[in-house]
Amino acid sequence: MTRASQPHPKNANGKKRSFLLYLTSLALFYPIMRFAGYTIPKKPDYVKITSQLPLTGYLITRDFILFDKGGLCWALSRKCTHLGCRLHYSETRDILECPCHQSQFHASTGNVVKGPATKPLTQFPVEKRENNPYYIVTT
Ligand code: FES
């Protein structure tokens, strides 16, 4: 009576084998797809800024700098496009500077002013609103 409820030993081995085959194919498939240039798209994050910007017209967060100047709003990533260090904003020179290898980026456009970085900064979409949250930045 108990024998009927237990799986046949041959069946159990077949399930184990197919599961291992499944894991092996997954382990091989993903690196091949990465090598071919495929990346899994990241889900966007919506960062809500719940206060008005200071009179300086910019707000520095961990991941981006939000500007609201002259009726325009934009947000630039703080991740250097050279090797990924976190950028600092120099208000007097209106540039973002990298402390690692001294790349500089224009604060209005994110374009490279001085290398070794060659690519411009990532610009994030900003939605300005009348009520709280006053800004929504899509990263
Ligand atoms: S990491 Fe920024 S310049 Fe090298």
Side-chain angles (χ1 to χ4, degrees):
M1 190 138 176
T2 55
R3 274 189 126 198
S5 62
Q6 291 180 348
H8 192 272
K10 213 173 185 180
N11 251 355
N13 280 344
K15 281 183 181 175
K16 273 187 201 169
R17 194 173 301 135
S18 65
F19 182 69
L20 284 175
L21 187 65
Y22 173 74
L23 283 181
T24 307
S25 57
L26 269 183
L28 291 174
F29 181 72
Y30 186 67
I32 290 170
M33 292 304 286
R34 286 295 305 249
F35 181 74
Y38 177 79
T39 54
I40 298 170
K42 177 183 158 262
K43 271 175 87 176
D45 282 336
Y46 301 100
V47 180
K48 295 175 181 172
I49 309 294
T50 55
S51 59
Q52 298 279 7
L53 292 193
L55 291 176
T56 54
Y58 67 90
L59 176 77
I60 299 175
T61 70
R62 192 178 71 91
D63 296 326
F64 60 83
I65 301 181
L66 172 64
F67 295 94
D68 188 354
K69 292 180 177 178
L72 295 173
C73 292
W74 69 99
L76 294 173
S77 170
R78 288 188 66 195
K79 188 176 178 185
C80 180
T81 57
H82 180 229
L83 293 177
C85 289
R86 187 161 293 143
L87 301 169
H88 300 289
Y89 177 55
S90 166
E91 189 177 0
T92 52
R93 296 191 293 157
D94 202 32
I95 57 169
L96 287 97
E97 293 175 302
C98 181
C100 296
H101 309 109
Q102 286 72 48
S103 282
Q104 296 178 350
F105 301 88
H106 200 274
S108 323
T109 60
N111 289 337
V112 176
V113 174
K114 183 181 151 219
T118 55
K119 294 179 187 168
L121 296 175
T122 303
Q123 198 157 4
F124 299 124
V126 178
E127 179 187 340
K128 186 176 181 179
R129 307 177 68 201
E130 293 293 319
N131 303 316
N132 197 351
Y134 296 102
Y135 301 90
I136 298 176
V137 181
T138 307
T139 60

